[in-house]
Amino acid sequence: MQSYTGIAKTLHWLVFALMSGAFTVGFYMHDLPLSPSKLQLVSWHKWTGVTIFVLVLLRLTWRLMNPPPALPTHMSKLERGAAEGMHRVLYILMLAMPLSGWLMSSAKGIQTVWFGVIPLPDLLYKSPPLGKALSEVHEALGFIILAFVAVHVLAAFKHHFIDRDDVLARMVPGMKPRSK
Amino acid sequence: MRALIFALALCMSFPTFAAERTLQTAGSRIAFAFKQMNVSMDGSFKKFSGKINFDAAKPETSSIEMLVDIASISIYEEADPEVIKPIWLNAAAFPQARFVSKNVKALGGGRYQATGTLSIKGASREVTVPFEYKEQGANAIVDGQFTLKRGDYKIGEGEWSAVDIVANDVLVKFHLVVAPAAATKR
């Protein structure tokens, strides 16, 4: 069975690492009292989010140019549809999450400056109620992503341990396909 | 009778002094800007008042007093309750910031500068504030800006006194609508 390209694998695991970091920091900083270290964490969280957004756009571009390997033949039409839908939702969520954070910052009147160097345009006018609403959207998306990632991981394990196919192996660097 | 004449004479001589004019809250704005981790942050004060005795022809006769209500500060929702705490502006102990000047000089081209004392949070510093003054209908419009160092007034103590996260420089910008003297109620 064909594997994902090295670039696709690298981007997948890089985005996974950054998402884990952004989620952990986001969850932790949420209830901290205002302090210099909180502002530092918030900045890092935002920078990571913007980086994820850019990397996900790169992944989508790469995916269009290098279509993923075909799904195993044993999968039913329904399973194929589910896999396709699942990946679409994951991509939408990976873009929606940083976007909602960026919009939230704009509405709160705090511009996002990537790595403290590149200012992103403020997409919304300052509006505290809108900022509050968007922060709830941002938070809800966090838990929705967590749920979808959990399903994604469980599905990969199901392929590997129950179906005993190469769906997991083709995304894990260095993992050899099963010989059949 | 003599007293009456004296009073009349005093009244008639009054217009030769720069007439005291009061700041109009509507249309006036006192705002500020600073950098937080290289991100430009904007804020403003919603409540302030001022008395401005200013004669563009004789700026040296001027006197200016501005009072700013510290608790009326607005930056962003999470910051507003924090910055009035003792560690920042201590609004409870020092409810007002004050600027007084009796030293105004013309710079030419409708521009002036007021040198005076700015008091914030119990600390007083001499500052020079350049501004532009123009008559607009019955009102006068005063526009200007100056930079202060928050450290000079201990705005942000303890862990906040380091200026790597919240910068030391605060740019104060003002746009003041000054009502005509006649409309001023005493």
Side-chain angles (χ1 to χ4, degrees), chain A residues 34-37 39-40 43-44 47 108-113 116-117 126 128-129 132, chain B residues 36-43 74-79 82 88 159-160 164-166:
Chain A
L34 197 61
S35 70
S37 45
L39 294 182
Q40 186 91 62
S43 291
W44 288 341
W47 300 347
K108 287 187 174 194
I110 309 170
Q111 199 182 22
T112 303
V113 181
V117 179
K126 187 170 176 175
K132 200 162 221 166
Chain B
Q36 180 175 293
M37 287 200 76
N38 224 17
V39 177
S40 298
M41 305 292 303
D42 290 309
S74 164
I75 308 175
Y76 60 94
E77 223 178 1
E78 285 93 338
E82 290 295 321
W88 284 102
E159 56 179 356
W160 292 105
D164 53 343
I165 303 282
V166 179

Side-chain angles (χ1 to χ4, degrees), chain A residues 32-142:
Chain A
L32 284 184
L34 197 61
S35 70
S37 45
K38 180 176 184 174
L39 294 182
Q40 186 91 62
L41 286 177
V42 172
S43 291
W44 288 341
H45 176 79
K46 288 184 180 188
W47 300 347
T48 310
V50 179
T51 308
I52 293 170
F53 187 81
V54 171
L55 289 176
V56 171
L57 290 180
L58 269 178
R59 286 184 70 185
L60 281 169
T61 313
W62 186 258
R63 193 182 168 96
L64 283 173
M65 286 160 36
N66 306 271
L71 290 170
T73 46
H74 70 79
M75 286 174 71
S76 70
K77 206 172 175 188
L78 184 72
E79 286 172 319
R80 284 163 190 276
E84 175 68 25
M86 187 66 196
H87 285 102
R88 277 172 197 243
V89 171
L90 280 170
Y91 273 104
I92 290 168
L93 286 173
M94 286 189 292
L95 292 173
M97 186 69 180
L99 195 62
S100 68
W102 178 14
L103 290 174
M104 169 180 98
S105 272
S106 283
K108 287 187 174 194
I110 309 170
Q111 199 182 22
T112 303
V113 181
W114 197 18
F115 302 121
V117 179
I118 304 168
L120 306 191
D122 276 330
L123 298 184
L124 297 173
Y125 285 110
K126 187 170 176 175
S127 155
L130 187 59
K132 200 162 221 166
L134 282 165
S135 83
E136 269 153 35
V137 170
H138 191 66
E139 191 178 342
L141 278 174

Side-chain angles (χ1 to χ4, degrees), chain B residues 125-139:
Chain B
R125 287 274 191 281
E126 189 182 273
V127 292
T128 296
V129 182
F131 63 92
E132 200 178 69
Y133 179 94
K134 34 177 204 275
E135 299 288 344
Q136 198 178 71
N139 293 330

